[in-house]
Amino acid sequence: MAVAKFNAEAMEQCRSTVGAQAGQFGAVGDGFSGHYADPGIFGELANSGGLSSAAGELDVKAGAEFAAAEKLLGEVERALDRIQGAVVDVEDANAASFRAV
């Protein structure tokens, strides 16, 4: 039977890095919320309104994508935390079983 080996420090570093990245994606996404371009900034173009509308759609979609990335990375961080906890629990139980003998 193979013995599983875990590098707790590497798992913690991965969890910490993922958590930091989640925050960074969230911060970038916050910059996209609710900004709509005034058609006048595109000058007197015939399609200034359409261009402004497209820029607004891009803003909304980019904000949603960054929010989704933040959520997903947050879930990964929590999953890694649960894995770490489970590994510690198993290791503690194994150590206690040797003491009980």
Side-chain angles (χ1 to χ4, degrees), residues 5-101:
K5 294 183 180 182
F6 297 94
N7 184 334
E9 186 178 318
M11 286 177 62
E12 175 57 27
Q13 183 178 5
C14 183
R15 188 200 61 75
S16 177
T17 300
V18 167
Q21 291 298 311
Q24 289 178 359
F25 275 98
V28 170
D30 290 345
F32 283 96
S33 58
H35 298 294
Y36 298 99
D38 177 6
I41 67 169
F42 298 109
E44 299 297 321
L45 298 172
N47 289 324
S48 292
L51 188 55
S52 175
S53 177
E57 276 187 57
L58 176 64
D59 178 74
V60 169
K61 289 180 180 180
E65 289 298 318
F66 280 107
E70 179 184 28
K71 180 181 179 213
L72 181 61
L73 287 171
E75 290 171 1
V76 169
E77 179 186 19
R78 288 184 292 281
L80 286 170
D81 190 49
R82 286 190 301 271
I83 291 167
Q84 284 180 290
V87 169
V88 168
D89 291 346
V90 168
E91 291 296 319
D92 288 347
N94 288 341
S97 72
F98 283 115
R99 287 190 291 269
V101 174

